[in-house]
């Protein structure tokens, strides 16, 4: 053979140069679509270990689909990362291109922004988003099965090409080892090199065809993936929003949730979703917002609802600009003259007397009749508990003790204490809200317990002017002897009694027993109007 013939080492190396380069510089193919650092991945691993739901979903999907953990990781990180960034498709392992398209479709769907506002930086919410999309992901994976199979063939073909290139490199190395001094290679070795190069050419051609087939299959699946992704994002956004609203309705703040361990938060969410009052979370949240709005309208030391400014000499209602005059020696005589003339500018208010100072006690009827529907088809119990929880909030903000007394028949009573100097605790709050005693109705038992508690508070802390709120749907008689003791205690301790008739108009009538017992009585129908109900939370 001539010096440039196939039996020369330099000729073989020239023909196999392209495969040498391929085997030496195979680009790294990513299996993750979302760019993440080790801290992001640590967060995912910790969340995955804590979430039985995620593990069960991964196990279920892995029975019929490949690389599922990688897909769930990407869906989680897209929701969790504050600014999720996706890799370029060209840098992806071909077998993960369908997953890349899935995650891209999720991130680009119209509802993703709303979802991301709730999940960014919150591992629990991000995990919940993954689980909320589980059904859509199942359907999506089924519809893209052909595209995934083609992508995996393309990935295998690409790997075969890389292996073939490595085989060419190894054949050329052996040829170099066996070449004589002038570079001549023995014919059997030349044949091995030629076969390796032919195999590499065939593998490359097969890889090109497989990549083309995969691209076509992926393009065909794209509309279905996009539609399923939109459905998945919408469902996840709704689920996450509903749980966030549920937490807010029950007074669980975002700060408390962030500090709560994953398992405890999951159990709390499950309890809130499945509890007796879960259907009425919106009502409970509405009452709490109503009470919060009235707190914002209050003016310190002003009586009732602020309606403007008037003139007078009540120093407890002097507006701040008038008081500022006392800070200037030259204006103090002017202030004194205006005070003597009753011409100081004062906050003008209308309505009720000032709020109390002692404990707020909500006596909530839980007799059998409270199961019945009240206004709007909502159970009487739900109306009563929503009002009681708003009063709990009122007490917490006013730094007053709160006591929830659940009652029914004379021998059925359960007391829940919420001291002002200790956190209420969502578990204790839920126990109070979900407890239902059943049976008949007795006024004397809960009201006696409430008066005893206020007596105890007076003896221990010298605090008077507590507030008792009686919430019931039944008119129940009391004895004359008990009434005398009740009036004596009321006079001695200075407490007020508010009544709320739930779903029973006769209880709120002027000649009812509840009307006789209460300083202020209204029906639950009043509470369907925010403005009509506002004064209840303004004066307590």
């Amino acid at each position: 053979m001539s010096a440039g013939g196939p039996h020369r080492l330099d000729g073989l190396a020239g023909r196999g140069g392209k495969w040498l380069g391929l085997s030496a510089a195979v680009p790294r193919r990513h299996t993750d679509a979302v760019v993440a650092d080790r801290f992001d991945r640590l967060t995912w691993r910790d969340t995955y270990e804590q979430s039985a739901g995620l593990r069960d979903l991964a196990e279920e999907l892995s029975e019929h689909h490949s690389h599922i953990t990688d897909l769930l990781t990407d869906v989680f990180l897209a929701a969790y990362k504050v600014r999720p960034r996706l890799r370029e498709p060209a840098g992806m392992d071909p077998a993960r291109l369908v997953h890349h398209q899935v995650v891209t479709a999720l991130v680009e769907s119209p509802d993703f922004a709303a979802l991301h506002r709730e999940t960014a930086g919150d591992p629990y919410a991000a995990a919940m988003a993954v689980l909320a999309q589980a059904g859509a992901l199942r359907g999506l994976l089924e519809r893209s099965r052909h595209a995934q199979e083609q992508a995996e063939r393309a990935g295998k073909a690409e790997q075969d090409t890389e292996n073939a290139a490595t085989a060419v490199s190894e054949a050329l190395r052996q040829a170099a080892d066996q070449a004589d001094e002038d570079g001549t290679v023995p014919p059997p070795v030349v044949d091995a090199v030629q076969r390796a190069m032919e195999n590499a050419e065939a593998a490359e051609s097969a890889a090109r065809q497989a990549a083309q087939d995969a691209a076509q299959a992926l393009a065909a699946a794209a509309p279905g993936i996009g539609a399923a992704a939109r459905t998945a994002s919408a469902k996840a956004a709704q689920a996450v929003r509903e749980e966030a609203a549920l937490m807010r309705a029950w007074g669980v703040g975002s700060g408390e949730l962030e500090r709560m361990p994953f398992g405890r938060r999951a159990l709390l969410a499950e309890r809130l979703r499945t509890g007796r009052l879960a259907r009425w979370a919106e009502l409970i949240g509405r009452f709490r917002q109503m009470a919060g709005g009235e707190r914002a309208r209050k003016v310190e030391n002003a009586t009732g609802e602020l309606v403007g400014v008037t003139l007078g000499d009540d120093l407890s209602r002097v507006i701040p600009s008038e008081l500022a005059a006392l800070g200037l020696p030259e204006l103090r005589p002017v202030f004194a003259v205006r005070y003597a003339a009753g011409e100081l500018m004062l906050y003008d208010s209308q309505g009720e007397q000032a709020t109390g100072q002692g404990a707020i006690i909500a006596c909530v009827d839980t007799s059998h009749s409270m199961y019945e529907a009240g206004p709007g088809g909502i159970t009487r119990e739900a109306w009563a508990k929503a009002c009681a929880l708003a009063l709990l909030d009122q007490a917490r903000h006013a730094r007053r003790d709160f006591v929830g007394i659940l009652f029914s028949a004379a021998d059925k009573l359960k007391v829940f204490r919420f001291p002002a100097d200790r956190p209420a605790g969502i578990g204790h709050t839920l126990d109070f809200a979900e407890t239902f005693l059943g049976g008949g109705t007795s006024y004397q038992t809960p009201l006696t317990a409430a008066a005893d508690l206020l007596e105890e508070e007076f003896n221990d802390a010298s605090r008077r002017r507590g507030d008792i709120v009686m919430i019931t749907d039944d008119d129940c008689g009391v004895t004359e002897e008990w009434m005398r003791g009740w009036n004596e205690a009321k006079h001695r301790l200075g407490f007020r009694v508010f009544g709320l008739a739930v779903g029973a108009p006769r209880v709120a009538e002027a000649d009812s027993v509840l009307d006789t017992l209460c300083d202020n009585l209204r029906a639950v129908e009043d509470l369907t109007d925010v403005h009509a109900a506002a004064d209840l939370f303004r004066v307590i």
Side-chain angles (χ1 to χ4, degrees):
M1 260 197 190
S2 64
H7 289 80
R8 300 280 302 176
L9 180 62
D10 52 358
L12 292 174
R15 290 179 56 197
K18 128 178 176 177
W19 306 110
L20 287 174
L22 179 61
S23 64
V26 176
R28 180 192 172 195
R29 297 293 190 173
H30 296 285
T31 58
D32 52 343
V34 179
V35 178
D37 58 30
R38 62 189 184 93
F39 298 106
D40 297 328
R41 299 198 168 280
L42 180 62
T43 299
W44 158 252
R45 286 196 296 271
D46 288 346
T47 305
Y48 185 81
E49 290 172 2
Q50 295 179 70
S51 173
L54 287 176
R55 296 195 301 274
D56 291 344
L57 178 61
E59 182 178 356
E60 174 201 337
L61 295 179
S62 295
E63 291 179 2
H64 305 286
H65 307 281
S66 56
H67 318 303
I68 286 302
T69 303
D70 290 339
L71 174 60
L72 296 183
T73 304
D74 281 330
V75 175
F76 171 86
L77 292 176
Y80 171 73
K81 287 179 65 65
V82 176
R83 293 183 180 84
R85 182 167 61 89
L86 302 185
R87 299 187 187 280
E88 291 297 324
M92 294 293 297
D93 175 357
R96 307 312 201 278
L97 282 174
V98 171
H99 294 175
H100 185 281
Q101 187 157 348
V102 168
V103 177
T104 300
L106 289 172
V107 171
E108 294 178 352
S109 62
D111 289 287
F112 181 79
L115 170 66
H116 193 246
R117 280 194 295 271
E118 300 287 352
T119 60
D122 187 339
Y124 174 87
M128 182 184 171
V130 176
L131 294 174
Q133 296 174 90
L137 287 175
R138 290 186 192 96
L140 190 152
L141 289 170
E142 285 300 321
R143 283 190 290 274
S144 61
R145 183 183 291 276
H146 176 65
Q148 180 63 33
E149 291 172 350
Q150 292 296 106
E152 290 182 1
R153 289 194 187 98
K156 183 178 183 304
E158 185 177 273
Q159 184 61 52
D160 290 344
T161 302
E162 292 173 5
N163 293 339
T166 301
V168 171
S169 177
E170 176 61 21
L172 288 173
R173 185 189 64 77
Q174 292 182 7
D177 289 343
Q178 297 187 36
D180 57 22
E181 294 181 356
D182 66 352
T184 301
V185 179
V189 177
V190 173
D191 291 342
V193 172
Q194 288 176 335
R195 283 195 301 274
M197 287 190 289
E198 288 170 359
N199 290 337
E201 292 285 355
E204 183 183 42
S205 176
R208 281 197 301 269
Q209 184 61 49
Q212 182 178 345
D213 293 342
Q216 290 175 348
L218 196 58
I225 291 176
R230 288 190 292 274
T231 299
S233 286
K235 183 172 291 188
Q238 180 181 356
V240 172
R241 279 197 303 268
E242 286 178 353
E243 181 161 309
L246 192 62
M247 293 292 183
R248 286 192 294 268
W250 285 96
V252 186
S254 57
E256 184 178 355
L257 288 176
E258 289 174 2
R259 295 189 298 271
M260 195 177 292
F262 186 98
R264 183 182 168 198
R265 184 170 171 181
L267 290 174
L268 172 60
E270 180 65 17
R271 183 176 180 184
L272 293 181
R273 282 194 297 269
T274 60
R276 293 183 63 252
L277 297 179
R279 294 167 56 200
W280 315 125
E282 182 182 355
L283 175 69
I284 293 167
R286 178 151 46 98
F287 264 82
R288 288 183 136 157
Q289 290 173 1
M290 186 194 307
E294 288 311 305
R295 285 193 295 273
R297 286 160 56 102
K298 280 187 179 180
V299 177
E300 193 68 25
N301 299 322
T303 304
E305 179 183 4
L306 176 65
V307 295
V309 175
T310 187
L311 299 178
D313 60 359
D314 186 349
L315 295 178
S316 69
R317 295 190 290 129
V318 175
I319 68 173
S321 61
E322 288 279 41
L323 291 174
L326 293 175
L328 300 174
E330 60 272 21
L331 292 181
R332 288 173 187 166
V334 177
F335 182 91
V337 170
R338 295 182 64 186
Y339 172 62
E343 295 179 350
L344 293 174
M345 287 190 292
L346 313 175
Y347 285 119
D348 190 17
S349 61
Q350 66 180 17
E352 300 80 1
Q353 65 192 94
T355 56
Q357 295 176 344
I360 296 175
I361 302 178
C363 298
V364 183
D365 189 347
T366 59
S367 61
H368 282 311
S369 58
M370 293 292 284
Y371 273 130
E372 296 179 17
I378 298 172
T379 65
R380 297 174 181 182
E381 179 200 7
W383 281 103
K385 296 289 183 59
C387 183
L389 290 171
L391 291 169
L392 168 59
D393 280 356
Q394 201 80 343
R396 305 304 295 178
H397 283 84
R399 296 182 176 84
R400 299 169 66 184
D401 290 349
F402 177 83
V403 180
I405 298 180
L406 304 180
F407 70 94
S408 58
D411 61 342
K412 291 188 175 182
L413 191 81
K414 193 167 182 62
V415 178
F416 292 82
R417 291 176 180 250
F418 297 84
D421 59 354
R422 293 202 296 271
I426 183 61
H428 192 45
T429 302
L430 284 172
D431 289 341
F432 166 59
E434 294 181 344
T435 298
F436 193 90
L437 302 178
T441 306
S442 168
Y443 279 6
Q444 291 184 189
T445 301
L447 290 175
T448 298
D452 289 346
L453 287 167
L454 292 177
E455 181 88 51
E456 178 185 323
E457 182 181 41
F458 175 73
N459 293 334
D460 291 345
S462 299
R463 279 200 299 269
R464 298 175 75 248
R465 291 174 56 198
D467 290 316
I468 298 173
V469 183
M470 185 73 168
I471 309 174
T472 182
D473 71 339
D474 198 3
D475 201 25
C476 179
V478 296
T479 66
E480 290 184 10
E481 181 182 0
W482 180 89
M483 194 69 181
R484 283 195 298 272
W486 170 258
N487 288 331
E488 290 172 2
K490 192 169 184 291
H491 176 74
R492 183 174 67 257
L493 301 173
F495 59 77
R496 299 175 299 178
V497 183
F498 297 83
L500 179 62
V502 184
R506 71 181 185 281
V507 180
E509 292 175 356
D511 60 347
S512 69
V513 175
L514 190 60
D515 179 60
T516 303
L517 291 170
C518 295
D519 302 299
N520 185 313
L521 175 61
R522 68 201 68 214
V524 73
E525 284 77 8
D526 297 336
L527 304 188
T528 59
D529 179 353
V530 171
H531 299 291
D535 60 330
L536 176 65
F537 299 105
R538 185 161 57 249
V539 299
I540 294 179

